[in-house]
Amino acid sequence: MSDPQTRPFLINKDEDGNFRLTVRDTYYNSQGYMLVKAVMHDQLFKTAAAAKTFAQANFDAKPGQYATK
């Protein structure tokens, strides 16, 4: 499960003004250290709301699971 400090969906703006969605998976190694695997999707979105809608439709994202930093 994800750590409350690391939200599973990151939405940020690129230099061209498009929004990008990164899906993060948080897990712990055998010694208890938190590791985060992040995968940025190739799809570009015109608004952050469009990225959130995509995450809800494809990854069953819930409100409050998004980060912008």
Side-chain angles (χ1 to χ4, degrees):
M1 201 70 190
S2 65
D3 185 32
Q5 296 175 359
T6 305
R7 296 186 177 161
F9 301 100
L10 174 65
I11 299 173
N12 51 1
K13 200 174 202 181
D14 65 9
E15 61 275 352
D16 295 329
N18 298 311
F19 288 89
R20 305 290 304 261
L21 176 68
T22 302
V23 179
R24 302 187 287 193
D25 183 30
T26 304
Y27 58 98
Y28 295 88
N29 69 5
S30 62
Q31 295 165 349
Y33 290 103
M34 183 175 74
L35 302 171
V36 179
K37 178 182 174 187
V39 177
M40 181 183 287
H41 285 270
D42 294 331
Q43 188 168 355
L44 302 174
F45 303 97
K46 293 190 184 239
T47 64
K52 288 180 181 182
T53 302
F54 179 81
Q56 289 172 354
N58 294 295
F59 301 106
D60 196 31
K62 305 285 186 243
Q65 291 184 326
Y66 304 102
T68 57
K69 292 183 181 182

